[in-house]
Amino acid sequence: MKLRSFLYKLLVKKPLGAFGAVVVFLMLLVALFADLLAPFGLNETSLLETLKAPSAEHWFGTDELGRDVYSRVVYGARVSMYVGMATIAISMTLAALIGIISGYYGGWFDLLMQRVVDAWMSIPGLVAVIVIMALLGPGMLNVILALGLSQAFRESRVVRSAAIAVRDQPFIEAIIAAGAPRRRVVWLHVFPNVLPAIIIVASNALGFIILTEAAVSFLGYGIPAPIPSWGGMLSQSGRVSMTNAPWLSIFPGLALSLAVFGFNMLGDALRDLLDPRLRSD
Amino acid sequence: MTRNALCPRRRSGALCRALSLPLAALLIALIGLVPAASAQKRGGVLSAVLREDPTGFDLLGPKKASWVTQSAMSFTHNRLFMYPEDDRREGGVVGDLVESWSQPSPTVYLLKLHQGVRFHPKPPVNGRELTAEDVRWTFERVMKSPEARLFKRVKNVVAVDPYTVRFELSAPFGPFLPNLAATTIVIYAKESGKPCDTCNGGRDFTAVNTAVGTGPFMLEEYQEGQKLVFKRHPNYFRKGRPYLDGINLYIMKDNAAQMAALRTGKVQLLEAWNRVDHQMAQEAKEFPRTVVELFPIYATGENIVGRVDKKPWNDLRVRRAVSLAIDREGWLKGLWPMGGKRLSGPIPNASAFDIPEDKLGDLAKWYRYDVAEAKRLLAQAGYPNGFKGKLITTVGYGPDYTSRTALIKDMLGRVGIELEIVAQEYPQWIKHTYAGNFSEWSLVHIPQWGLGDEDEWLGSYTPGDTRNHTHLNDPETTRLVEQSRNVATIADRTLAIQSFQRRFHDQMYRVFLPFQNFVLLRRDNVMGFVPKIKGYDFGKRFETVWLE
Amino acid sequence: MRTYLVQRLLMMVPTLFLVSVLVFSIMRVIPGDVVSLMFEDLGYADSIEQMQAKLGLNLPFYEQYARWVGELLRGNFGESLWTQRTVASQIAQRLPVTLQLSLWAIMIAIVLGGVIGVVAAVRQDTATDMVSRSGAVVFLSMPTFWLGTLVIVFPSKYLGWSPSVTLIPFFEDPLGNAIQFIVPAAILGSHLGAPIMRMSRAMMLEVLRQDYIRTAWSKGMSEPHIIMRHAVRNAMIPVVTILGIQMAQAFGGSVIMETLFQLPGMGSLLIETVRRRDFPMFQSLVLVLAILVMVVNLLVDLTYSWLDPRIRTEAK
């Protein structure tokens, strides 16, 4: 499928997906250019200006330390995108590795690996993340590792079934029969065919990761202060001051929900467009 | 040196006990139009909140008892002494189970117990009378528990007769009686514990049903994560008390849930230990029939420490520079709309021994906000461009706490001290940082402390003490602390503690931060609650509470 | 069918073993052990060693593990290091709460996700599809703790209502109990419903393209008849497969709902045990939850193979 026709289809047949794509694109831009977009430093406290309502100077108001909420939400985009992307990178690499080896080669490795995956998946996700956080200690990098690890096994299942489907295709059998080395086949033929599945899973998982980070924050194991994460802002001062300083929760909340919404819609559209079984033509 | 203490107030005890109730009744009979608030009413059940579950019900087990367990046990048990309602004026302790006491020699104390003090009418104790033997047995356990730290000079405890206990000390010890008032030192009935060979004193008091004491309330039911249900103790030795029929203490961790419950009247009282902050108090002002009260608390504020044996905290000029970098006025105004103290340390502001900031004289100059002077001191100390380091904190005390860590970082950044925040999880914090294990170039954000007697605060500046985070081993400071222990009179103790404080403010081993006023939120029909906190005496303060 | 069942049960053994090793080892690697936590800031060195010996923490790792499993097999789940309550009694008390919350949530998720998924598929790429899907995703996009806080804070302000501060037992007040559970369950369910919606939509789309549906259309059958009788039935079978995963998710999500809504379930206890480093309690709780998830998965697979005869024959 050519890129242009793909974009055309996304825009015409999947306006929601296109909207999601735009949101994701904007979030990435904000994350990249946070330094230019934020009028104040992200940790610049001002004790004379604590808990001020939105104004011309502070568009989203100020928080309990007098920090500019707009600047923090903007930097929060960078934190969330960074955490999301890094987590995806870790979990997808692991998932692809486990999934393709397991699915393509099968055999005892598959049997064993699937039991490990079973074991992992039988521990409720949030509990697993919190235990890993307790193990590693608080910190942004550790949040990424914990989320990435807990996601990897789950996602490896999808990759595995995609790999199995590819393995059974006649053209792969033909290539192997022609004497191509197996490792080559995996890299040149199986992996590219599994890629759409990986992209779909990744896009949907990003939203889930942002939400999970927020949930973990609420339980006190998230990205520690003063790093501005949306989840952290929401679950801390945002929750405490929900009625007397609603701007502390409305703006980070909107940003977070918008990002999750965007990733989900984009993921759904990609699924419709990329999954061969669902291609309507 | 005999004092009478029938009644906790500063009135003649016997008179007080004999007259207070009839007198009150008479007054009301005489003046029919007196507002109802002046008479205590019997009956009713109060709902309040406890933030966490008690961790078992033994204050003298192998582990140090948590503050929640102390709070819970203060409902069901009595101590020998308790803290008076106004510590500033009394400067000492008043009797709880002790009716009167004497000190025949500097190392011997004779304590006379109240007669007719009965345990709760529950098996296996079945409401029998408390005697000196119970006190002796409890102290057998105390001396083998972590709380023995408070009684290092106690040599012998003897039950002279059913109502007299004799304590023999190896040397005079000023804080002896105040330490008997510590909220961990409650008197147990031996038979209520579960027999256990390996346990302290051969009895195990971890289980709920062992919480049978002489206190104003009986623990009827405990559901983990849900509630503690207390019923009035019908045979309580202070006749007529408590006024309430019972108390439901709901265990609620979440502030939003606590506030919603207060707003809708499902709970009637929320106090500071539930992490009620000033923002919540502002919000509560618009709740129906809700009263917001401020009160001083018997605690020291948060502070910044480093290791005095390591860089950069070993240099007095650095410590003073850190103090000068703190904008205490701005801190108070910005963070705490309901006010607070610029400084609370090294002992609590509410302590009778405390020298307030305006009486510190020349030493007060280290508590002003002066960025230029701070930079000058840093330069003198060899850090003309400031220095880089870590600022260790924990996520264990909630988001407000780490938010203040961010504020410290920002303020110190303005004088050139660039710190990177390291937030540790609570268990890790306790095991390493809080135990004093942190490296050079690290500063630590230490929480507020609500301890018992002043001596516990002073002790934290002596080598070997577990709260000596700074690794301080200063002969002069140690000498001053020892001196405060060896005195016989309160006047001498005051002098000794105050010279310790001057030494502290001069040397600045910890940089104390501003401290907020504590907040009590209650429904307007909850009367008689004295929101004064020394130790974790939550239950005792409900003894005098009634509902309108 | 019987061989399939035996096969599945046999496969649970290594999984169970792995879970137990995982759970057992993780608590021992976590920094900040329970012994020092119990003494908080007081370091009584000799007591700490005694304490460790008492807890068996001084033994080699495999011996500790063997002891634990041995006790488990004898039905002894251990007791809390803090409160000395037996794990079994805790589970007996708390599991029903978590199960009730999770089942409510799953039910809400199935209804919500199923209906929206089917409607969205039937009206693929129309306004109905987009509105219903984006509506569902809007709910999904808000963190559960945030929705929960809204439900706690605003009704208390404007309606004078706040959730019950303690658990209302079902047998004492079934209606009160239902009201207490329905709010957190709905929040949890709105999150669990999204994957169900996606899956049922996808499956519906696939089924709608099948020959027998086309045949039904050409025979002139009415739309409701075709959708309900033929399409939905077949589309929903694969949806069953993700219920196992959703159950695990529900157990995880209940951690937050239990904390917010004062429900004394397994989730809030689990968090507490991690915080307090209460090994015996933690290991057994997670193990029980894991077994539960495995059993649900087994039931799901059995249901699936019973619904879909193809699996049965494949799995000989």
Side-chain angles (χ1 to χ4, degrees):
Chain A
M1 196 167 25
K2 289 267 158 31
L3 184 68
R4 187 182 294 177
S5 78
F6 174 77
L7 284 179
Y8 171 78
K9 266 192 193 160
L10 184 67
L11 206 60
V12 173
K13 295 189 97 177
K14 307 284 171 195
L16 275 178
F19 175 74
V22 170
V23 168
V24 168
F25 184 66
L26 282 179
M27 291 282 171
L28 286 174
L29 280 187
V30 171
L32 272 177
F33 299 108
D35 302 311
L36 299 176
L37 291 167
F40 293 88
L42 71 164
N43 287 322
E44 209 176 298
T45 63
S46 167
L47 291 168
L48 296 174
E49 309 248 327
T50 52
L51 295 177
K52 290 272 181 292
S55 64
E57 196 190 353
H58 298 288
W59 297 348
F60 292 179
T62 63
D63 70 2
E64 77 280 6
L65 296 181
R67 294 174 295 197
D68 182 48
V69 175
Y70 170 70
S71 301
R72 286 179 70 76
V73 168
V74 165
Y75 275 107
R78 177 177 285 180
V79 173
S80 292
M81 291 299 126
Y82 176 68
V83 170
M85 296 294 172
T87 305
I88 282 293
I90 291 175
S91 67
M92 281 302 151
T93 311
L94 265 175
L97 218 63
I98 298 170
I100 292 178
I101 298 177
S102 219
Y104 182 75
Y105 291 98
W108 64 266
F109 177 84
D110 182 36
L111 200 68
L112 193 79
M113 203 60 219
Q114 287 317 302
R115 297 295 75 72
V116 175
V117 176
D118 274 344
W120 186 265
M121 283 176 59
S122 62
I123 299 175
L126 205 51
V127 174
V129 175
I130 280 159
V131 171
I132 301 176
M133 284 309 294
L135 184 68
L136 301 174
M140 182 145 93
L141 213 64
N142 295 343
V143 171
I144 292 170
L145 277 174
L147 289 172
L149 260 177
S150 75
Q151 285 286 87
F153 292 99
R154 188 178 316 273
E155 285 153 4
S156 76
R157 276 280 157 87
V158 183
V159 179
R160 175 176 172 267
S161 51
I164 291 176
V166 174
R167 180 191 64 191
D168 297 342
Q169 299 262 328
F171 77 92
I172 297 281
E173 281 165 29
I175 294 167
I176 292 172
R182 277 198 144 206
R183 191 173 300 173
R184 237 178 103 84
V185 175
V186 168
W187 274 111
L188 289 180
H189 302 285
V190 178
F191 182 68
N193 281 292
V194 173
L195 201 58
I198 294 181
I199 292 174
I200 293 166
V201 173
S203 167
N204 275 320
L206 265 164
F208 183 75
I209 287 164
I210 294 175
L211 277 177
T212 312
E213 191 275 318
V216 171
S217 268
F218 168 72
L219 294 170
Y221 290 86
I223 296 171
I227 301 169
S229 83
W230 293 332
M233 287 185 244
L234 258 189
S235 63
Q236 292 160 17
S237 49
R239 250 169 54 79
V240 173
S241 308
M242 199 176 247
T243 51
N244 56 353
W247 56 90
L248 284 184
S249 48
I250 289 172
F251 296 107
L254 268 178
L256 187 145
S257 300
L258 201 62
V260 176
F261 186 84
F263 279 119
N264 268 297
M265 282 306 163
L266 180 63
D268 284 2
L270 289 178
R271 182 194 307 260
D272 278 11
L273 293 174
L274 293 177
D275 193 334
R277 288 185 310 162
L278 298 177
R279 237 173 256 165
S280 41
D281 44 358
Chain B
M1 191 177 158
T2 303
R3 273 177 67 179
N4 202 316
L6 282 171
C7 203
R9 287 172 206 282
R10 265 176 62 106
R11 274 176 247 146
S12 158
L15 191 73
C16 156
R17 196 173 133 203
L19 292 184
S20 61
L21 272 177
L23 202 67
L26 191 72
L27 271 171
I28 287 157
L30 280 175
I31 318 162
L33 291 171
V34 164
S38 65
Q40 292 105 350
K41 282 188 185 164
R42 271 266 303 124
V45 175
L46 180 83
S47 299
V49 171
L50 198 60
R51 197 177 78 219
E52 284 171 31
D53 276 293
T55 44
F57 291 86
D58 194 354
L59 297 171
L60 303 172
K63 56 198 183 238
K64 189 197 166 214
S66 82
W67 69 270
V68 198
T69 306
Q70 294 180 45
S71 299
M73 299 289 283
S74 64
F75 286 86
T76 52
H77 288 66
N78 287 97
R79 295 167 284 159
L80 291 175
F81 287 89
M82 58 189 179
Y83 303 115
E85 280 178 25
D86 189 345
D87 209 86
R88 256 190 184 289
R89 279 190 289 131
E90 313 230 4
V93 289
V94 291
D96 188 3
L97 289 173
V98 168
E99 187 177 29
S100 65
W101 71 91
S102 62
Q103 199 176 357
S105 87
T107 55
V108 175
Y109 291 83
L110 274 178
L111 311 184
K112 267 253 173 270
L113 304 177
H114 279 285
Q115 298 195 9
V117 176
R118 301 213 159 260
F119 281 99
H120 300 160
K122 289 165 95 175
V125 189
N126 295 322
R128 75 163 168 84
E129 190 177 12
L130 176 138
T131 65
E133 172 56 21
D134 294 307
V135 178
R136 194 203 59 77
W137 185 76
T138 299
F139 269 84
E140 208 180 293
R141 294 190 83 223
V142 169
M143 299 314 286
K144 280 182 263 165
S145 78
E147 296 307 301
R149 71 199 164 91
L150 300 173
F151 303 102
K152 284 184 186 140
R153 295 185 192 173
V154 170
K155 208 172 59 185
N156 207 4
V157 185
V158 187
V160 181
D161 64 55
Y163 302 109
T164 313
V165 190
R166 190 172 71 231
F167 283 84
E168 294 163 14
L169 274 57
S170 58
F173 189 54
F176 174 65
L177 291 183
N179 279 352
L180 284 181
T183 40
T184 43
I185 311 299
V186 306
I187 305 303
Y188 285 88
K190 182 179 181 180
E191 67 268 35
S192 69
K194 198 172 78 183
C196 155
D197 292 338
T198 55
C199 300
N200 187 1
R203 295 283 171 155
D204 184 350
F205 288 88
T206 311
V208 197
N209 57 10
T210 64
V212 179
T214 53
F217 295 96
M218 307 188 292
L219 183 54
E220 285 296 299
E221 193 189 354
Y222 166 48
Q223 289 177 16
E224 201 174 293
Q226 293 270 290
K227 61 181 172 183
L228 290 150
V229 178
F230 294 102
K231 287 272 177 304
R232 181 176 190 271
H233 177 195
N235 308 326
Y236 190 52
F237 77 97
R238 289 199 183 86
K239 295 292 170 236
R241 288 194 193 168
Y243 306 121
L244 292 169
D245 283 338
I247 295 173
N248 294 334
L249 270 192
Y250 295 111
I251 295 155
M252 302 177 83
K253 294 182 181 69
D254 186 58
N255 279 147
Q258 292 170 0
M259 291 295 276
L262 180 68
R263 200 195 276 262
T264 56
K266 287 198 166 90
V267 305
Q268 293 145 298
L269 188 127
L270 265 183
E271 54 127 41
W273 291 116
N274 295 307
R275 296 217 177 108
V276 176
D277 71 4
H278 287 197
Q279 297 308 326
M280 290 161 67
Q282 297 283 67
E283 198 186 329
K285 282 179 176 168
E286 53 183 69
F287 287 8
R289 299 177 46 210
T290 301
V291 181
V292 178
E293 280 174 327
L294 297 177
F295 60 95
I297 189 163
Y298 219 93
T300 49
E302 290 167 11
N303 52 81
I304 308 169
V305 302
R307 288 182 61 157
V308 290
D309 57 342
K310 293 265 167 73
K311 282 182 173 181
W313 208 247
N314 57 352
D315 195 314
L316 174 60
R317 289 163 296 193
V318 172
R319 306 198 292 263
R320 285 177 173 167
V322 167
S323 179
L324 292 168
I326 303 297
D327 175 8
R328 293 187 168 80
E329 285 304 310
W331 187 302
L332 278 179
K333 282 205 189 90
L335 257 55
W336 294 315
M338 315 203 79
K341 285 275 185 317
R342 282 167 44 88
L343 171 69
S344 176
I347 59 170
N349 295 122
S351 165
F353 303 111
D354 183 49
I355 314 174
E357 200 187 338
D358 53 15
K359 299 268 164 58
L360 275 179
D362 193 40
L363 290 171
K365 68 170 184 254
W366 303 120
Y367 294 107
R368 68 184 198 274
Y369 178 47
D370 191 338
V371 171
E373 177 65 11
K375 282 184 175 161
R376 206 182 59 80
L377 282 173
L378 281 178
Q380 266 185 14
Y383 309 109
N385 303 313
F387 58 85
K388 286 189 170 44
K390 286 180 185 160
L391 178 58
I392 309 177
T393 185
T394 174
V395 294
Y397 304 125
D400 284 359
Y401 188 77
T402 41
S403 165
R404 287 192 289 273
T405 310
L407 189 56
I408 296 172
K409 173 194 152 84
D410 197 43
M411 283 182 172
L412 296 188
R414 288 171 195 185
V415 298
I417 303 174
E418 294 295 336
L419 300 173
E420 180 204 343
I421 293 183
V422 178
Q424 294 176 330
E425 208 211 341
Y426 188 66
Q428 202 195 352
W429 158 268
I430 286 294
K431 188 172 183 183
H432 298 287
T433 310
Y434 203 65
N437 298 323
F438 51 92
S439 56
E440 56 179 4
W441 303 112
S442 295
L443 302 187
V444 182
H445 180 192
I446 298 286
Q448 67 190 42
W449 291 342
L451 310 175
D453 185 66
E454 282 78 359
D455 190 53
E456 292 194 50
W457 274 281
L458 264 56
S460 71
Y461 296 90
T462 58
D465 191 280
T466 49
R467 290 194 186 88
N468 185 4
H469 309 121
T470 56
H471 296 250
L472 183 64
N473 188 358
D474 173 47
E476 175 60 12
T477 307
T478 310
R479 190 185 66 77
L480 290 170
V481 173
E482 280 305 316
Q483 192 186 325
S484 79
R485 286 173 178 165
N486 296 333
V487 295
T489 67
I490 288 196
D492 287 347
R493 195 164 180 232
T494 309
L495 282 178
I497 293 180
Q498 293 193 339
S499 13
F500 163 82
Q501 286 176 76
R502 291 209 179 79
R503 171 84 186 160
F504 172 87
H505 290 301
D506 183 54
Q507 292 294 312
M508 194 68 72
Y509 297 120
R510 293 173 186 273
V511 173
F512 279 94
L513 301 165
F515 197 40
Q516 77 266 44
N517 283 329
F518 274 61
V519 190
L520 169 76
L521 310 179
R522 61 171 173 88
R523 283 278 168 147
D524 59 7
N525 64 333
V526 180
M527 313 302 284
F529 185 82
V530 186
K532 210 200 88 60
I533 302 183
K534 187 171 184 178
Y536 299 100
D537 207 354
F538 199 26
K540 182 106 315 127
R541 286 172 293 129
F542 283 101
E543 197 179 309
T544 50
V545 166
W546 77 96
L547 294 172
E548 270 312 316
Chain C
M1 192 71 191
R2 185 175 295 165
T3 44
Y4 178 62
L5 183 65
V6 170
Q7 201 182 358
R8 279 301 316 264
L9 282 173
L10 277 178
M11 283 213 295
M12 270 174 76
V13 176
T15 312
L16 209 56
F17 170 72
L18 284 168
V19 172
S20 68
V21 171
L22 199 69
V23 161
F24 186 81
S25 48
I26 211 155
M27 272 318 246
R28 273 154 183 82
V29 190
I30 291 180
D33 56 74
V34 67
V35 179
S36 59
L37 196 59
M38 279 174 138
F39 288 95
E40 297 210 13
D41 43 350
L42 295 165
Y44 289 86
D46 50 333
S47 322
I48 281 191
E49 277 152 25
Q50 279 171 12
M51 199 73 204
Q52 271 175 333
K54 191 184 163 201
L55 300 174
L57 293 173
N58 54 347
L59 297 174
F61 180 80
Y62 60 88
E63 236 183 285
Q64 292 183 39
Y65 177 77
R67 272 188 175 193
W68 177 55
V69 173
E71 288 297 313
L72 278 182
L73 291 177
R74 259 177 271 144
N76 178 9
F77 282 68
E79 58 178 36
S80 161
L81 294 180
W82 290 93
T83 58
Q84 296 186 355
R85 297 182 137 203
T86 63
V87 177
S89 74
Q90 287 281 14
I91 291 172
Q93 238 175 47
R94 288 171 177 263
L95 189 57
V97 177
T98 301
L99 274 181
Q100 209 182 343
L101 181 63
S102 305
L103 287 175
W104 267 110
I106 290 271
M107 258 155 43
I108 292 171
I110 292 173
V111 172
L112 221 69
V115 169
I116 295 175
V118 168
V119 170
V122 173
R123 301 270 179 268
Q124 192 193 8
D125 293 339
T126 64
T128 317
D129 175 18
M130 288 171 202
V131 169
S132 56
R133 267 199 306 143
S134 48
V137 177
V138 162
F139 266 100
L140 169 74
S141 309
M142 294 191 249
T144 50
F145 72 81
W146 169 239
L147 281 170
T149 311
L150 284 176
V151 172
I152 287 172
V153 169
F154 286 96
S156 80
K157 184 169 184 181
Y158 297 108
L159 306 172
W161 174 89
S162 66
S164 168
V165 288
T166 49
L167 180 73
I168 304 169
F170 176 78
F171 294 106
E172 280 172 28
D173 179 5
L175 186 67
N177 173 279
I179 292 171
Q180 184 177 29
F181 275 96
I182 199 88
V183 175
I187 294 171
L188 205 52
S190 73
H191 269 234
L192 299 173
I196 295 178
M197 175 201 80
R198 272 203 202 99
M199 182 111 178
S200 50
R201 178 169 174 274
M203 289 304 136
M204 251 331 251
L205 286 177
E206 196 170 314
V207 168
L208 287 175
R209 282 198 301 275
Q210 300 285 322
D211 287 341
Y212 64 91
I213 298 289
R214 294 188 185 180
T215 316
W217 279 114
S218 61
K219 278 189 184 164
M221 289 180 187
S222 73
E223 189 187 355
H225 181 82
I226 297 170
I227 304 288
M228 293 315 295
R229 284 300 300 271
H230 301 283
V232 171
R233 198 180 260 189
N234 287 305
M236 281 305 175
I237 294 173
V239 176
V240 172
T241 54
I242 62 168
L243 288 185
I245 297 170
Q246 293 300 86
M247 200 66 189
Q249 291 281 3
F251 287 151
S254 67
V255 172
I256 288 177
M257 288 299 120
E258 286 171 17
T259 312
L260 273 175
F261 289 90
Q262 294 286 119
L263 298 171
M266 301 270 277
S268 47
L269 183 62
L270 254 174
I271 292 294
E272 209 47 46
T273 55
V274 174
R275 281 203 184 124
R276 290 181 177 173
R277 305 288 190 261
D278 199 343
F279 312 116
M281 196 70 143
F282 173 84
Q283 353 185 101
S284 304
L285 285 180
V286 175
L287 198 65
V288 167
L289 277 186
I291 292 173
L292 218 64
V293 172
M294 281 180 226
V295 169
V296 172
N297 270 323
L298 178 67
L299 289 178
V300 161
D301 284 3
L302 291 178
T303 319
Y304 185 52
S305 65
W306 175 70
L307 287 171
D308 190 345
R310 276 176 304 176
I311 305 287
R312 225 180 306 170
T313 43
E314 266 174 35
K316 284 196 292 271

